[in-house]
Amino acid sequence: MKKIRKIALVELQTFFYSPVAWLILIVFAFQAAMIFTDIFATSVRNQELKYPLSNLTLSITRGTFAKIQEYLYFYIPLLTMSLMSRELGSGSIKLLYSSPVTNAQIILGKYLAMLAYGLVMMGVVAIIVTWSAFTVKDFDLPVALSGMMGLYLLLAAYAAIGLFMSSLTSYQVVAAMGTLAVLAALSLVKRVGQEYDFIREITWWLSIGGRADEFILGLICSEDLLYFVIVPALFLALSISRLKATRQKTRWHLSLARYAGIFLVAILAGYVTSRPSLMAFHDATRTKQLTLTPPSQQIISQLEGPLKMTVYVNALDRNLSAALPRARKSDMERFSRYTRFKPEMQVKYVYYYANPGDQGLERRYPGMTERRMVGQVCQAWDADSTIFKPLADIENGVDLAPEGYRLVRLLERETGEKTFLRMFDDMTRYPSEAEISAALKRLVIKPPLVAFVTGHGERDINDAGDRGYYRFSANKHARTSLVNQGFDCVAIDLGAEVPGDVDALVIADPRRPFAVEERERLARYIARGGDLLLLGDLRGQEVLNPLVAPLGLAFLPGQIVRYPVEAEKLPATNVASLSSGRGAAPARQNIAPDFFRASLDRGAAGLSRLHESLCNITRSPAARVAMPGCLAIERDDTGDYNVIPLFLTDPADTWNELQTTNFIDDTARLDVALGETRRSHATAVALTRTVGERRQKIIVLGDADCLSNERVNGVNSNFVMATFLWFSDDALPVDVRRPATPDDAIFATGAGVKITKNILMFAFPSLLLLASLLLWLRRRGR
């Protein structure tokens, strides 16, 4: 060990007596400071602009470390190119050969010098982290330390590769170029052989590209940690073997066999350490942002026994590229947080072809058979068309027609429970933790069954038109639909008793009266404690009131309108211009008077976690539940039910209009003589009572359009999720919320940014330059 340390000290002296090491250190310090100060300045500017800040530690460190990681690629070859090439070129290697040191001591000594120089570079990064720790509120230091560890390990791996390349040639430039070539090859090797199972595992593990990314984010994984042990050990062993072959004049085929043996041992070690069952993880983030939320972990813990995921990939589906053989590793990375807790999960990919009903296919490939279409598509994607089988050859009892022959994952337990996990028609496409956990929860509980009543002109869950209810209920390719949040949706009629497995009943805007027998069946369902969502709409009071009367409710005639207070004092012409946007008008000048925008009453915030969130969201006038053409609900608080108003009108500017129905050509005016008064009306109420051992939950809304395909987005979609979360007793949707991070402020201003730039970008590199000049002058004086 003493000899290794002496060689390292000599090498360090050589480093710092040469201008190259100092120049690299100065440029690195300037570049790192420039990256950091740009990100720091952006955060300070956003704070001064009153934008909300969050998770500042990760925002700053991730942006800074990711860029530094890119530049390390160029610094290290300039340092390592002379480690052995200088000895070989000058002939001093012969002195080393004749001295009482071994090949391993020579290589390890020089590598130790590089590690020491790497610590100096990390010292520059440590100054940036320290500056951040003093300027960011509640700085998350473990995340920063994890990122620094990743950078240092990456630097150590680069150094080992550069040392090996330097041992191959006496030309320093050739060694530097060779190092860059090997690093480029190791970055791109993950693209090699991805079509073949075993080769895919090897090349994916061998790739050095992105290896420090998880460290930078704050996740320490044993696979990545051991990678930075195995790969440097591989190249150090190759360097030692190279010296041994040169020193002992070993025959080339023996040297080649030794190199191959070392490489195979490293590959075997890498393959073993990359097995999910052998991996260990540490999430260094304060709020465990890189780990499944506790509810998701609880779901995984309930999945006893094997879990199988079969991915059905249609060659003619638009999502084909997401699951081609070469994309399998990337595809499975999206489930890495789940395999941490369920490493024994089996994954199988099934490739087939079937026309998914895409009219675009017929236009692009007119007159072609499905088989020929597959050939054309696979040629464009550079994929092997022979792996795709006809649909009849792969079904095995799985009906993919209801899924539209889209890319879909079938999750199965050995006890027989099955469910589909889908792709979605949005910008993200892939399922997130909320959808994956909801699908897994369907395997461990009975999915809540939501039944939609039909037969009286109600809104239809299979109607994709503007008035239909398809989007939030049965749309399999909408992320927030009930079927993708763990629920089952069916359509039923009341010609028979409501099935006992129905958990919630929905009656949406019936246009024809219910028969006496149907009302009796509905009454028996309510009497047994069944949950109910009932939605009314304009001109439906006669049909609706017999249904809600047993609940102590009534839909009032007319509809809710909203005008500014000044409206009733102005002439009719001015009122009309007020509502149409002409002339001087208050903030609501472009909102139709019959378009009611509701905010959740504070008294309803305790119904569920999503109601609490919705209450906070709808405080803003720009984020409220849209209820066009809304009925007022009269309630009787003396019955068996506890009545909780959800949406209440503001008596200052709304009333229940009894006359006007055309709000484009006519103008509503408050007519006190007719009984129109400014007072608070409920447009949605919740009712609860205890029936047996369960708590019954009922919601009645005065507008059915708010859940229609046209309206159910944004805040309206949040209201849907809150409603069915309440119905399911907080079981679904799965709670994937994470605690807010406390590092949400910076103790700096614009002037502080200038000081930061001057110190880190100019003063500190200048000190390094001064130190190098003083050392040079001292050596020159000697």
Side-chain angles (χ1 to χ4, degrees):
M1 189 63 191
K2 289 183 179 180
K3 292 179 180 179
I4 294 174
R5 189 165 59 249
K6 287 182 178 179
I7 293 173
L9 289 173
V10 170
E11 196 65 38
L12 278 174
Q13 287 180 343
T14 305
F15 275 159
F16 287 104
Y17 287 158
S18 71
V20 175
W22 282 104
L23 180 61
I24 289 175
L25 194 59
I26 292 169
V27 172
F28 176 75
F30 176 80
Q31 204 165 39
M34 182 174 65
I35 296 167
F36 166 72
T37 52
D38 282 347
I39 298 172
F40 187 79
T42 300
S43 299
V44 171
R45 185 186 308 114
N46 289 338
Q47 180 172 266
E48 292 182 341
L49 291 171
K50 306 302 181 183
Y51 293 139
L53 302 179
S54 65
N55 208 7
L56 279 173
T57 301
L58 191 57
S59 298
I60 292 173
T61 57
R62 177 174 55 188
T64 304
F65 292 170
K67 280 292 184 182
I68 290 176
Q69 178 183 201
E70 296 176 9
Y71 296 131
L72 282 179
Y73 189 92
F74 300 102
Y75 293 133
I76 302 305
L78 297 176
L79 290 166
T80 59
M81 65 182 185
S82 62
L83 286 175
M84 291 303 302
S85 297
R86 183 181 63 250
E87 310 284 0
L88 295 171
S90 65
S92 58
I93 189 67
K94 296 178 181 179
L95 295 176
L96 288 173
Y97 286 162
S98 61
S99 60
V101 293
T102 64
N103 299 320
Q105 288 172 336
I106 295 172
I107 294 299
L108 293 178
K110 291 181 175 291
Y111 185 63
L112 182 60
M114 276 301 305
L115 293 181
Y117 186 86
L119 287 176
V120 176
M121 295 181 72
M122 288 301 104
V124 173
V125 178
I127 291 174
I128 291 175
V129 169
T130 303
W131 192 278
S132 301
F134 280 102
T135 53
V136 174
K137 173 193 170 189
D138 293 321
F139 186 77
D140 195 356
L141 185 59
V143 171
L145 295 178
S146 172
M148 290 179 62
M149 179 194 295
L151 291 179
Y152 184 69
L153 291 174
L154 184 65
L155 183 150
Y158 286 173
I161 295 168
L163 177 56
F164 170 65
M165 297 307 299
S166 182
S167 69
L168 296 179
T169 177
S170 60
Y171 298 100
Q172 296 184 22
V173 174
V174 173
M177 297 302 294
T179 303
L180 288 173
V182 172
L183 293 178
L186 286 177
S187 296
L188 300 174
V189 71
K190 66 166 60 177
R191 302 181 184 179
V192 177
Q194 291 299 302
E195 293 81 7
Y196 311 101
D197 291 342
F198 182 73
I199 297 177
R200 178 190 305 120
E201 298 292 334
I202 297 302
T203 56
W204 188 270
W205 174 85
L206 191 58
S207 175
I208 203 170
R211 273 293 173 180
D213 289 349
E214 298 281 14
F215 287 95
I216 291 172
L217 292 174
L219 182 66
I220 301 173
C221 173
S222 62
E223 180 192 7
D224 295 328
L225 198 60
L226 291 173
Y227 176 89
F228 287 119
V229 174
I230 295 170
V231 168
L234 165 65
F235 283 96
L236 291 176
L238 291 175
S239 301
I240 294 169
S241 297
R242 168 63 181 170
L243 280 190
K244 183 177 181 181
T246 305
R247 197 170 189 176
Q248 298 178 355
K249 306 297 182 183
T250 306
R251 295 181 179 181
W252 68 270
H253 57 84
L254 294 178
S255 298
L256 186 61
R258 186 181 296 114
Y259 295 154
I262 293 171
F263 183 76
L264 289 176
V265 169
I267 291 298
L268 178 61
Y271 180 80
V272 171
T273 59
S274 64
R275 299 305 86 201
S277 59
L278 299 178
M279 290 186 193
F281 300 86
H282 173 67
D283 190 344
T285 61
R286 180 187 285 117
T287 57
K288 307 304 176 187
Q289 300 171 46
L290 305 176
T291 305
L292 290 177
T293 56
S296 295
Q297 293 183 40
Q298 184 179 9
I299 293 170
I300 293 291
S301 67
Q302 296 172 348
L303 284 168
E304 299 177 356
L307 176 66
K308 181 181 179 182
M309 181 169 70
T310 306
V311 187
Y312 290 93
V313 187
N314 184 0
L316 301 180
D317 177 33
R318 70 186 72 173
N319 293 313
L320 168 65
S321 61
L324 283 170
R326 63 171 174 264
R328 284 192 192 178
K329 293 297 290 185
S330 298
D331 187 46
M332 285 309 301
E333 285 288 316
R334 300 182 181 94
F335 296 88
S336 59
R337 295 187 184 183
Y338 288 86
T339 55
R340 284 170 58 180
F341 298 95
K342 195 71 174 175
E344 70 275 17
M345 183 172 69
Q346 303 172 9
V347 182
K348 179 183 178 182
Y349 286 79
V350 176
Y351 295 92
Y352 72 101
Y353 63 87
N355 193 331
D358 186 353
Q359 296 180 355
L361 282 173
E362 303 295 339
R363 289 195 299 269
R364 295 198 303 271
Y365 308 112
M368 285 191 183
T369 63
E370 289 182 0
R371 182 75 252 185
R372 288 190 61 195
M373 288 182 188
V374 172
Q376 292 287 324
V377 170
C378 289
Q379 182 179 355
W381 283 109
D382 192 23
D384 181 9
S385 63
T386 61
I387 66 174
F388 294 94
K389 307 300 180 185
L391 178 64
D393 294 350
I394 61 96
E395 282 189 307
N396 295 326
V398 178
D399 186 8
L400 298 175
E403 299 299 321
Y405 300 114
R406 302 274 296 269
L407 192 156
V408 70
R409 308 171 201 272
L410 179 63
L411 303 172
E412 302 176 82
R413 295 182 69 185
E414 64 176 355
T415 50
E417 295 88 349
K418 299 180 181 181
T419 192
F420 284 111
L421 179 63
R422 306 173 178 92
M423 302 282 281
F424 304 113
D425 293 336
D426 54 26
M427 294 296 292
T428 306
R429 294 196 303 163
Y430 299 97
S432 66
E433 181 181 343
E435 293 76 51
I436 298 173
S437 294
L440 292 174
K441 192 160 188 175
R442 289 173 58 88
L443 301 178
V444 297
I445 67 169
K446 171 193 169 295
L449 179 60
V450 182
F452 291 76
V453 174
T454 61
H456 313 87
E458 291 93 346
R459 307 295 177 100
D460 189 350
I461 61 173
N462 296 310
D463 179 6
D466 287 348
R467 297 183 73 255
Y469 272 21
Y470 173 69
R471 183 173 178 180
F472 87 84
S473 59
N475 186 351
K476 295 180 178 179
H477 304 293
R479 184 179 304 274
T480 56
S481 69
L482 293 179
V483 294
N484 289 317
Q485 295 298 324
F487 297 85
D488 282 333
C489 294
V490 296
I492 67 169
D493 62 62
L494 294 179
E497 294 292 336
V498 178
D501 59 347
V502 170
D503 296 285
L505 194 67
V506 180
I507 303 175
D509 190 19
R511 310 311 294 177
R512 295 186 297 275
F514 282 54
V516 174
E517 296 83 0
E518 292 176 321
R519 291 204 302 270
E520 290 174 350
R521 294 185 185 105
L522 175 61
R524 285 193 288 271
Y525 169 79
I526 295 174
R528 78 187 192 205
D531 295 338
L532 174 67
L533 173 61
L534 196 150
L535 304 98
D537 214 305
L538 299 179
R539 294 173 292 281
Q541 290 92 328
E542 291 185 5
V543 176
L544 294 165
N545 281 333
L547 303 180
V548 299
L551 305 177
L553 303 177
F555 289 98
L556 297 181
Q559 69 180 101
I560 295 295
V561 296
R562 183 174 185 181
Y563 276 107
V565 176
E566 294 80 1
E568 68 179 298
K569 300 179 182 178
L570 296 174
T573 52
N574 287 343
V575 175
S577 68
L578 202 66
S579 61
S580 63
R582 297 186 297 271
R588 293 185 51 82
Q589 58 181 352
N590 293 321
I591 304 291
D594 62 337
F595 191 91
F596 180 60
R597 303 176 70 187
S599 60
L600 191 68
D601 188 74
R602 294 180 183 275
L607 294 182
S608 73
R609 53 181 165 83
L610 290 184
H611 282 93
E612 180 181 3
S613 174
L614 190 64
C615 185
N616 295 328
I617 291 172
T618 55
R619 290 180 183 178
S620 169
R624 291 186 174 173
V625 177
M627 302 181 75
C630 185
L631 302 179
I633 301 173
E634 190 75 17
R635 62 190 191 274
D636 179 5
D637 296 336
T638 62
D640 295 336
Y641 293 94
N642 176 31
V643 181
I644 305 170
L646 297 180
F647 302 138
L648 292 173
T649 64
D650 185 351
D653 59 0
T654 58
W655 68 86
N656 189 42
E657 175 62 33
L658 300 175
Q659 300 181 89
T660 309
T661 58
N662 182 353
F663 295 94
I664 297 176
D665 302 317
D666 199 358
T667 301
R669 298 182 182 85
L670 183 65
D671 191 338
V672 178
L674 195 63
E676 297 175 351
T677 59
R678 293 189 184 277
R679 68 182 181 88
S680 179
H681 291 90
T683 60
V685 295
L687 296 86
T688 65
R689 68 173 179 175
T690 301
V691 178
E693 297 182 353
R694 75 180 308 272
R695 185 183 179 212
Q696 184 178 33
K697 298 171 284 292
I698 297 174
I699 289 181
V700 178
L701 275 83
D703 177 48
D705 285 330
C706 67
L707 302 191
S708 66
N709 298 327
E710 181 184 14
R711 296 293 178 190
V712 67
N713 49 45
V715 182
N716 286 41
S717 179
N718 293 347
F719 176 68
V720 173
M721 292 296 101
T723 297
F724 287 94
L725 175 69
W726 188 49
F727 282 165
S728 68
D729 295 321
D730 290 343
L732 292 167
V734 177
D735 185 6
V736 294
R737 296 173 302 166
R738 298 179 185 275
T741 55
D743 48 343
D744 55 2
I746 295 183
F747 306 128
T749 61
V753 170
K754 293 180 180 179
I755 295 173
T756 301
K757 287 186 175 182
N758 289 333
I759 292 176
L760 296 182
M761 287 182 60
F762 302 110
F764 181 60
S766 298
L767 288 175
L768 293 176
L769 177 61
L770 180 61
S772 66
L773 291 174
L774 291 175
L775 183 62
W776 177 76
L777 291 173
R778 183 182 177 189
R779 287 202 68 204
R780 186 178 182 185
R782 287 182 177 179

